[in-house]
Amino acid sequence: MDTIASLFSFITTPVSWVIVQFHSLYGAIFGPDSGWAWGLSIVSLVVLIRICLIPLFVKQIKATRGMQALQPKMKAIQERYKNDKQRQSEEMMKLYKETGTNPLSSCLPILAQSPFFFALYHVLSAIANGKTIGVINQSLLESARQAHIFGAPLAAKFTDSEEKVAALGASLTDVRVVTAVMIIMMSLSQFYTQRQLMQKNVDLSVKTPFMQQQKMLMYIFPLIFAFMGINFPVGVLVYWLTTNVWTMGQQMYVINQNPTPGSKAQDQYLTRLLKHVGTHGELKGRGKKKIVAAIVAKGPDRNDNERKFITALTKQGMAAQPDGSVIRSAEATADADAASGGVATKRQQPKRQTKAKRQTPPSKPTKK
């Protein structure tokens, strides 16, 4: 692991500099040798990195939406080559290439923050071994070695020997309890994030290799984190747990505000929209209108959730417009008449007869 981390040593100095700047801030509040000062410095590093990665996250969402737009074509390929799995996979790959879609785009944020992760690991390993690194000088090194998070030194690992832990001023029991709890929380947060994605934000009407891959990762990733976690210093566990919680919250926001078409999350979202329209009599919010406009534009290609939404609107006497707004059906009719260039032609009613004519019996034909 040290060999891999050393490959990212070019970013060690920037990472150590950021940690030191945050430490100077939190050290003034909690004390320079406090575990809170060093722990919050690592958490703040995560937040800063993830904020910088937001443009990449937006790009990832767009790529994911591109995958969603391909769902009908992917479904057609599945039905056409349902008895030939190899040809099915080849046609899927061909479709990805033609449309410039990457099914592995969900891994981009992890790949982008990997250099920071390994650089932090390298910094904490140097602290554990009593070596200065980056901008961390001897005084900062001694401060970091004294910092404890819930009784566990920042640089201690689950696999450390009792002598090494004692040299850091802690007990082996405290270190293993704290690291074990953090490893479990880290793995569970990763599992929940992936499970939430599979259960709520996937179009279950289409079975694709991408979906199977995501389902497999749901079980593999937590196991990888649990296996590797025993070799992570406490500071790295703080980093990875924080980034997992950020990812989980970020994904929950996206699922609630911009769910995948055809997914369970979309059904729940459109149900909330119906309640919103029923309460306010209109649709408020640019994001909501954008989603409704996309549904209107689909026309007959709408999925079951979207058709149910349009039908429910109609039953409420409402109609969705191309711009995403929702108006009452009577208003929609009037708008359509105005767009056609005039007032709607009224159905001609039969002329009303006078009372005298209604009471006069019809005359009988005369016999010749």
Side-chain angles (χ1 to χ4, degrees), residues 9-86:
S9 58
F10 69 93
I11 203 173
T12 297
T13 298
V15 166
S16 62
W17 184 85
V18 172
I19 292 176
V20 168
Q21 300 311 306
F22 281 123
H23 175 260
S24 63
L25 172 64
Y26 295 120
I29 301 172
F30 302 103
D33 300 334
S34 168
W36 284 104
W38 285 101
L40 288 176
S41 297
I42 296 173
V43 171
S44 299
L45 173 68
V46 176
V47 173
L48 179 63
I49 292 173
R50 296 309 297 265
I51 289 175
C52 293
L53 290 177
I54 285 177
L56 182 60
F57 176 72
V58 173
K59 186 176 180 180
Q60 174 195 358
I61 292 297
K62 290 182 179 179
T64 303
R65 294 302 179 222
M67 285 289 296
Q68 294 164 5
L70 294 179
Q71 296 297 308
K73 294 181 180 180
M74 295 166 74
K75 188 174 182 178
I77 290 174
Q78 285 181 333
E79 293 177 352
R80 186 173 181 179
Y81 302 106
K82 60 183 178 180
N83 296 324
D84 189 347
K85 297 298 181 181
Q86 183 177 353

Side-chain angles (χ1 to χ4, degrees), residues 319 321 327-340 342 344:
Q321 302 302 295
I327 61 178
R328 298 195 179 280
S329 297
E331 297 176 15
T333 303
D335 289 344
D337 293 337
S340 65

Side-chain angles (χ1 to χ4, degrees), residues 204 266 288 368:
L204 299 177
Q266 188 196 35
K288 296 182 179 69
K368 292 184 179 180

Side-chain angles (χ1 to χ4, degrees), residues 251-268:
Q251 182 173 276
M252 288 176 66
Y253 176 82
V254 171
I255 289 176
N256 287 330
Q257 299 301 319
N258 194 9
T260 298
S263 65
K264 182 179 179 181
Q266 188 196 35
D267 186 28
Q268 295 173 346

Side-chain angles (χ1 to χ4, degrees), residues 139-156:
S139 62
L140 288 171
L141 175 63
E142 293 301 325
S143 174
R145 286 174 66 84
Q146 294 177 29
H148 289 61
I149 297 177
F150 300 111
L154 196 71

Side-chain angles (χ1 to χ4, degrees), residues 126-326:
I127 291 174
N129 295 322
K131 298 178 182 179
T132 59
I133 184 171
V135 299
I136 297 180
N137 54 32
Q138 190 63 38
S139 62
L140 288 171
L141 175 63
E142 293 301 325
S143 174
R145 286 174 66 84
Q146 294 177 29
H148 289 61
I149 297 177
F150 300 111
L154 196 71
K157 296 181 288 187
F158 184 89
T159 55
D160 283 345
S161 64
E162 188 171 359
E163 293 77 12
K164 190 172 183 178
V165 171
L168 294 171
S171 69
L172 185 61
T173 301
D174 289 341
V175 169
R176 291 192 171 175
V177 168
V178 171
T179 52
V181 170
M182 295 182 72
I183 290 169
I184 291 172
M185 292 176 64
M186 187 175 65
S187 300
L188 287 177
S189 60
Q190 177 66 39
F191 177 79
Y192 179 79
T193 299
Q194 202 67 26
R195 186 171 182 267
Q196 180 181 232
L197 178 66
M198 291 300 300
Q199 287 196 339
K200 288 189 174 183
N201 207 39
V202 171
D203 185 354
L204 299 177
S205 64
V206 181
K207 304 294 183 182
T208 66
F210 174 71
M211 284 179 56
Q212 299 301 322
Q213 180 189 63
Q214 291 294 315
K215 188 175 182 180
M216 183 173 59
L217 292 178
M218 179 174 69
Y219 295 100
I220 292 179
F221 268 176
L223 293 177
I224 292 175
F225 279 119
F227 177 76
M228 296 178 63
I230 61 175
N231 294 307
F232 289 165
V234 172
V236 173
L237 293 177
V238 171
Y239 175 95
W240 209 246
L241 177 59
T242 305
T243 196
N244 277 5
V245 172
W246 177 287
T247 301
M248 184 171 63
Q250 188 173 249
Q251 182 173 276
M252 288 176 66
Y253 176 82
V254 171
I255 289 176
N256 287 330
Q257 299 301 319
N258 194 9
T260 298
S263 65
K264 182 179 179 181
Q266 188 196 35
D267 186 28
Q268 295 173 346
Y269 180 83
L270 294 179
T271 300
R272 294 197 301 270
L273 279 190
L274 282 172
K275 292 181 179 179
H276 178 87
V277 172
T279 302
H280 301 282
E282 60 180 343
L283 195 60
K284 298 180 180 180
R286 183 180 300 178
K288 296 182 179 69
K289 289 183 178 180
K290 189 175 180 180
I291 290 178
V292 173
I295 293 175
V296 173
K298 285 184 178 181
D301 294 330
R302 299 179 189 124
N303 58 49
D304 292 341
N305 295 335
E306 294 161 350
R307 283 192 289 270
K308 186 171 70 173
F309 172 72
I310 295 297
T311 301
L313 276 179
T314 304
K315 290 181 179 179
Q316 291 184 9
M318 309 292 287
Q321 302 302 295
D323 63 353
S325 61
V326 176

